[in-house]
Short mmCIF file of all heavy atoms in Angstrom, two decimals:
data_model
loop_
_atom_site.label_atom_id
_atom_site.label_comp_id
_atom_site.label_asym_id
_atom_site.label_seq_id
_atom_site.Cartn_x
_atom_site.Cartn_y
_atom_site.Cartn_z
N ALA B 147 7.18 29.12 -7.71
CA ALA B 147 6.96 30.04 -8.79
C ALA B 147 7.57 31.42 -8.53
O ALA B 147 8.20 32.01 -9.37
CB ALA B 147 5.44 30.18 -9.13
N GLU B 148 7.42 31.86 -7.27
CA GLU B 148 7.98 33.14 -6.93
C GLU B 148 9.51 33.08 -6.96
O GLU B 148 10.21 34.03 -7.40
CB GLU B 148 7.54 33.60 -5.53
CG GLU B 148 6.11 34.07 -5.52
CD GLU B 148 5.59 34.36 -4.11
OE1 GLU B 148 6.42 34.68 -3.20
OE2 GLU B 148 4.34 34.39 -3.90
N ALA B 149 10.02 31.94 -6.53
CA ALA B 149 11.49 31.77 -6.58
C ALA B 149 12.00 31.76 -7.99
O ALA B 149 13.07 32.31 -8.28
CB ALA B 149 11.89 30.47 -5.85
N MET B 150 11.28 31.19 -8.91
CA MET B 150 11.65 31.17 -10.32
C MET B 150 11.67 32.63 -10.83
O MET B 150 12.64 32.97 -11.59
CB MET B 150 10.67 30.31 -11.12
CG MET B 150 10.80 28.85 -10.86
SD MET B 150 9.55 27.87 -11.70
CE MET B 150 10.19 27.87 -13.39
N ASN B 151 10.66 33.39 -10.50
CA ASN B 151 10.65 34.77 -10.91
C ASN B 151 11.84 35.54 -10.31
O ASN B 151 12.58 36.21 -11.00
CB ASN B 151 9.37 35.41 -10.41
CG ASN B 151 8.37 35.47 -11.54
OD1 ASN B 151 8.68 35.56 -12.69
ND2 ASN B 151 7.06 35.39 -11.21
N PHE B 152 11.95 35.42 -9.04
CA PHE B 152 12.93 36.15 -8.23
C PHE B 152 14.36 35.90 -8.75
O PHE B 152 15.16 36.77 -8.86
CB PHE B 152 12.82 35.77 -6.74
CG PHE B 152 13.59 36.62 -5.85
CD1 PHE B 152 13.03 37.81 -5.33
CD2 PHE B 152 14.87 36.29 -5.42
CE1 PHE B 152 13.79 38.62 -4.46
CE2 PHE B 152 15.60 37.06 -4.50
CZ PHE B 152 15.04 38.25 -4.05
N HIS B 153 14.57 34.64 -9.11
CA HIS B 153 15.97 34.27 -9.52
C HIS B 153 16.04 34.18 -11.06
O HIS B 153 17.05 33.61 -11.56
CB HIS B 153 16.39 32.97 -8.84
CG HIS B 153 16.59 33.10 -7.40
ND1 HIS B 153 17.74 33.54 -6.79
CD2 HIS B 153 15.72 32.93 -6.33
CE1 HIS B 153 17.62 33.59 -5.49
NE2 HIS B 153 16.38 33.26 -5.18
N ARG B 154 14.99 34.61 -11.68
CA ARG B 154 15.03 34.66 -13.19
C ARG B 154 15.44 33.38 -13.77
O ARG B 154 16.35 33.23 -14.57
CB ARG B 154 16.07 35.75 -13.67
CG ARG B 154 15.88 37.08 -12.99
CD ARG B 154 15.81 38.24 -13.96
NE ARG B 154 15.61 39.51 -13.26
CZ ARG B 154 14.44 39.97 -12.90
NH1 ARG B 154 13.34 39.32 -13.10
NH2 ARG B 154 14.40 41.14 -12.26
N ILE B 155 14.70 32.33 -13.37
CA ILE B 155 14.95 31.00 -13.89
C ILE B 155 14.10 30.77 -15.12
O ILE B 155 12.90 30.92 -15.11
CB ILE B 155 14.58 29.92 -12.80
CG1 ILE B 155 15.43 30.12 -11.52
CG2 ILE B 155 14.77 28.52 -13.37
CD1 ILE B 155 16.88 29.84 -11.73
N ARG B 156 14.76 30.42 -16.17
CA ARG B 156 14.07 29.98 -17.36
C ARG B 156 14.31 28.43 -17.44
O ARG B 156 15.47 28.00 -17.51
CB ARG B 156 14.61 30.65 -18.64
CG ARG B 156 13.68 31.67 -19.25
CD ARG B 156 14.27 32.46 -20.36
NE ARG B 156 15.35 33.37 -19.84
CZ ARG B 156 16.62 33.14 -19.97
NH1 ARG B 156 17.07 32.11 -20.64
NH2 ARG B 156 17.53 34.03 -19.46
N ALA B 157 13.27 27.73 -17.47
CA ALA B 157 13.42 26.27 -17.33
C ALA B 157 12.45 25.51 -18.19
O ALA B 157 11.47 26.02 -18.63
CB ALA B 157 13.25 25.84 -15.89
N ASP B 158 12.88 24.23 -18.42
CA ASP B 158 11.97 23.37 -19.23
C ASP B 158 11.09 22.56 -18.21
O ASP B 158 10.48 21.57 -18.67
CB ASP B 158 12.72 22.49 -20.15
CG ASP B 158 13.81 21.69 -19.49
OD1 ASP B 158 14.13 22.01 -18.29
OD2 ASP B 158 14.33 20.74 -20.06
N TRP B 159 11.04 22.96 -16.98
CA TRP B 159 10.13 22.34 -16.03
C TRP B 159 9.25 23.42 -15.44
O TRP B 159 9.61 24.65 -15.50
CB TRP B 159 10.88 21.60 -14.93
CG TRP B 159 12.01 22.47 -14.39
CD1 TRP B 159 13.34 22.48 -14.82
CD2 TRP B 159 11.95 23.38 -13.28
NE1 TRP B 159 14.08 23.33 -14.10
CE2 TRP B 159 13.30 23.92 -13.18
CE3 TRP B 159 10.96 23.81 -12.42
CZ2 TRP B 159 13.58 24.88 -12.17
CZ3 TRP B 159 11.28 24.73 -11.47
CH2 TRP B 159 12.56 25.28 -11.34
N THR B 160 8.16 23.08 -14.95
CA THR B 160 7.20 24.02 -14.38
C THR B 160 7.25 24.05 -12.84
O THR B 160 7.68 23.06 -12.28
CB THR B 160 5.78 23.76 -14.81
OG1 THR B 160 5.39 22.50 -14.25
CG2 THR B 160 5.68 23.71 -16.34
N ALA B 161 6.81 25.11 -12.25
CA ALA B 161 6.74 25.18 -10.75
C ALA B 161 5.76 24.06 -10.28
O ALA B 161 6.08 23.42 -9.30
CB ALA B 161 6.16 26.52 -10.28
N GLN B 162 4.70 23.80 -11.05
CA GLN B 162 3.79 22.84 -10.60
C GLN B 162 4.41 21.41 -10.62
O GLN B 162 4.27 20.64 -9.66
CB GLN B 162 2.56 22.77 -11.53
CG GLN B 162 1.51 21.79 -11.01
CD GLN B 162 0.37 21.64 -12.04
OE1 GLN B 162 0.24 22.30 -13.04
NE2 GLN B 162 -0.54 20.71 -11.73
N SER B 163 5.17 21.13 -11.71
CA SER B 163 5.76 19.79 -11.75
C SER B 163 6.82 19.57 -10.63
O SER B 163 6.94 18.53 -10.05
CB SER B 163 6.39 19.51 -13.09
OG SER B 163 7.65 20.04 -13.21
N LEU B 164 7.51 20.64 -10.29
CA LEU B 164 8.52 20.54 -9.25
C LEU B 164 7.81 20.42 -7.88
O LEU B 164 8.26 19.62 -7.01
CB LEU B 164 9.45 21.77 -9.22
CG LEU B 164 10.56 21.71 -8.17
CD1 LEU B 164 11.39 20.44 -8.30
CD2 LEU B 164 11.49 22.94 -8.22
N ALA B 165 6.71 21.12 -7.71
CA ALA B 165 6.03 21.01 -6.47
C ALA B 165 5.47 19.56 -6.26
O ALA B 165 5.55 18.98 -5.18
CB ALA B 165 4.79 22.01 -6.37
N LEU B 166 4.90 19.05 -7.32
CA LEU B 166 4.47 17.68 -7.21
C LEU B 166 5.60 16.70 -7.07
O LEU B 166 5.46 15.65 -6.38
CB LEU B 166 3.58 17.36 -8.47
CG LEU B 166 2.27 17.98 -8.50
CD1 LEU B 166 1.57 17.85 -9.85
CD2 LEU B 166 1.34 17.48 -7.43
N HIS B 167 6.74 17.01 -7.67
CA HIS B 167 7.87 16.12 -7.48
C HIS B 167 8.30 16.12 -6.05
O HIS B 167 8.65 15.02 -5.46
CB HIS B 167 9.04 16.62 -8.35
CG HIS B 167 10.30 15.81 -8.20
ND1 HIS B 167 10.39 14.47 -8.52
CD2 HIS B 167 11.54 16.17 -7.77
CE1 HIS B 167 11.60 14.04 -8.34
NE2 HIS B 167 12.32 15.08 -7.85
N THR B 168 8.28 17.25 -5.34
CA THR B 168 8.64 17.26 -3.89
C THR B 168 7.67 16.30 -3.18
O THR B 168 8.09 15.61 -2.32
CB THR B 168 8.52 18.67 -3.33
OG1 THR B 168 7.16 19.13 -3.37
CG2 THR B 168 9.45 19.64 -4.02
N GLN B 169 6.43 16.35 -3.51
CA GLN B 169 5.47 15.47 -2.83
C GLN B 169 5.73 14.02 -3.13
O GLN B 169 5.62 13.13 -2.31
CB GLN B 169 4.02 15.80 -3.19
CG GLN B 169 3.64 17.24 -2.87
CD GLN B 169 4.04 17.59 -1.39
OE1 GLN B 169 3.60 16.98 -0.43
NE2 GLN B 169 4.92 18.62 -1.27
N ALA B 170 6.15 13.78 -4.40
CA ALA B 170 6.51 12.39 -4.75
C ALA B 170 7.65 11.90 -3.93
O ALA B 170 7.61 10.80 -3.39
CB ALA B 170 6.75 12.28 -6.29
N VAL B 171 8.66 12.72 -3.80
CA VAL B 171 9.86 12.34 -3.08
C VAL B 171 9.42 12.01 -1.63
O VAL B 171 9.83 11.03 -0.98
CB VAL B 171 10.91 13.37 -3.10
CG1 VAL B 171 12.08 13.04 -2.13
CG2 VAL B 171 11.51 13.48 -4.51
N LEU B 172 8.67 12.91 -1.04
CA LEU B 172 8.21 12.69 0.33
C LEU B 172 7.41 11.42 0.52
O LEU B 172 7.67 10.65 1.41
CB LEU B 172 7.42 13.92 0.81
CG LEU B 172 8.24 15.20 0.96
CD1 LEU B 172 7.35 16.44 1.06
CD2 LEU B 172 9.10 15.10 2.27
N GLN B 173 6.44 11.25 -0.37
CA GLN B 173 5.64 10.00 -0.30
C GLN B 173 6.46 8.78 -0.41
O GLN B 173 6.29 7.82 0.26
CB GLN B 173 4.53 10.09 -1.32
CG GLN B 173 3.52 11.19 -1.11
CD GLN B 173 2.63 10.96 0.07
OE1 GLN B 173 2.55 9.90 0.69
NE2 GLN B 173 1.88 12.00 0.42
#
Side-chain angles (χ1 to χ4, degrees):
Chain B
E148 288 176 21
M150 290 174 75
N151 261 330
F152 191 85
H153 293 275
R154 311 231 179 274
I155 299 293
R156 253 173 289 107
D158 54 346
W159 45 271
T160 64
Q162 184 187 355
S163 85
L164 182 57
L166 287 170
H167 179 62
T168 63
Q169 300 311 301
V171 172
L172 290 163
Q173 295 290 349

